[in-house]
Amino acid sequence: MSPFDAQHADTALTAYLNLLKNKGAATAIVTRRKHILRHLLSGLESLSGNHMVDDDAGYRRAVDGTVDKFPDDQQLEIITSAREFHPFWIGDLKTIARLNAADALSLGTTQVDLRGSLVDMFQRLDADPWSGERQPSLDEYLSRLAESGAEDAVMDIRERLLTLLLYIIRHAEPTPLAYRAGVDAMLTLFSKEDTRRLFIEMAREFFYFWNGYNQGEPTSLAHAA
């Protein structure tokens, strides 16, 4: 693909919006996503003179630029929309098929509790009695990490960040879509790309424990990896 292909961009946007419609998304949701993604595509086009925009770095740069143009309370929907649109943008047919088959598109607003910066969220977490409650899925995950020889520092940072993830989605139905929405919400709190990537890897690994616990299924680190 060339650095920016307007026809490809329109085709990708139409395909994504049509899938949303076919999955039952409300007209207001489709209209809002279209508005968001048109801003993203404009950002991709403006970057295309100096960067390839069909790689992860170029796309992430355009997403960051789009986030900066919207109010803070819309950041989560921008991140979610951009994540779901990405396989359409790069022509990843296998991922698009999985999104379709698994009903993995977000068709509405997931109940996540995100207010303020990362520091603000940790302060709220620490002050909330919820933080004293046991989280069996996280306990199991950390236990498996310890058994595999993970260092204390590695386990501490994972426990801290994943506890915050669970806090953010504590009021949502325990579904994979809610978990993904929580991850998207967390990503808005990190300013560095490296940190985002590390958190995504961590969240992917932990997901199998969280989902396995909610589904009553045992999970191993080997499965998670």
Side-chain angles (χ1 to χ4, degrees), residues 142-159:
L142 295 172
S143 176
R144 300 295 180 86
L145 282 180
E147 290 174 4
S148 69
E151 296 180 357
D152 289 345
V154 171
M155 293 178 58
D156 287 346
I157 189 63
R158 290 184 178 234
E159 180 177 15

Side-chain angles (χ1 to χ4, degrees), residues 91-193:
D92 184 349
L93 298 180
K94 289 183 178 180
T95 298
I96 293 171
R98 286 198 297 269
L99 288 173
N100 185 17
D103 290 330
L105 293 178
S106 58
L107 305 180
T109 302
T110 303
Q111 192 174 11
V112 297
D113 183 4
L114 180 70
R115 287 174 282 166
S117 67
L118 185 63
V119 172
D120 295 331
M121 289 302 302
F122 275 130
Q123 289 177 341
R124 289 186 54 225
L125 168 64
D126 292 339
D128 195 312
W130 180 94
S131 64
E133 296 179 9
R134 181 172 174 266
Q135 304 300 326
S137 60
L138 183 56
D139 290 344
E140 179 67 15
Y141 172 65
L142 295 172
S143 176
R144 300 295 180 86
L145 282 180
E147 290 174 4
S148 69
E151 296 180 357
D152 289 345
V154 171
M155 293 178 58
D156 287 346
I157 189 63
R158 290 184 178 234
E159 180 177 15
R160 188 70 167 149
L161 289 174
L162 292 172
T163 298
L164 182 58
L165 170 61
L166 293 176
Y167 182 70
I168 285 173
I169 63 173
R170 70 193 185 282
H171 297 311
E173 290 293 323
T175 65
L177 280 177
Y179 188 90
R180 182 68 254 190
V183 172
D184 286 344
M186 288 281 289
L187 292 177
T188 68
L189 302 176
F190 304 128
S191 59
K192 295 182 179 180
E193 182 64 21

Side-chain angles (χ1 to χ4, degrees), residues 40 44 53 55-63 82-83 85-86 89:
L40 174 60
L44 288 165
V53 291
D55 65 357
D56 288 346
Y59 193 82
R60 181 72 244 182
R61 194 176 291 110
V63 172
R83 172 179 54 78
F85 178 64
H86 185 255
W89 170 247

Side-chain angles (χ1 to χ4, degrees), residues 5-31:
D5 183 330
Q7 183 175 358
H8 168 79
D10 287 341
T11 299
L13 179 59
T14 299
Y16 172 66
L17 296 176
N18 283 342
L19 185 56
L20 279 179
K21 293 176 186 176
N22 292 339
K23 289 297 182 181
T27 300
I29 295 292
V30 176
T31 300

Side-chain angles (χ1 to χ4, degrees), residues 17-77:
L17 296 176
N18 283 342
L19 185 56
L20 279 179
K21 293 176 186 176
N22 292 339
K23 289 297 182 181
T27 300
I29 295 292
V30 176
T31 300
R32 199 158 61 241
R33 299 286 177 88
K34 182 178 181 179
H35 177 64
I36 288 169
L37 292 173
R38 285 201 178 280
H39 275 276
L40 174 60
L41 289 171
S42 294
L44 288 165
E45 184 174 16
S46 67
L47 287 171
S48 63
N50 299 314
H51 305 278
M52 287 298 294
V53 291
D54 57 351
D55 65 357
D56 288 346
Y59 193 82
R60 181 72 244 182
R61 194 176 291 110
V63 172
D64 288 344
T66 304
V67 166
D68 290 341
K69 295 178 181 178
F70 286 80
D72 289 347
D73 61 1
Q74 295 185 47
Q75 287 189 15
L76 175 56
E77 187 165 17

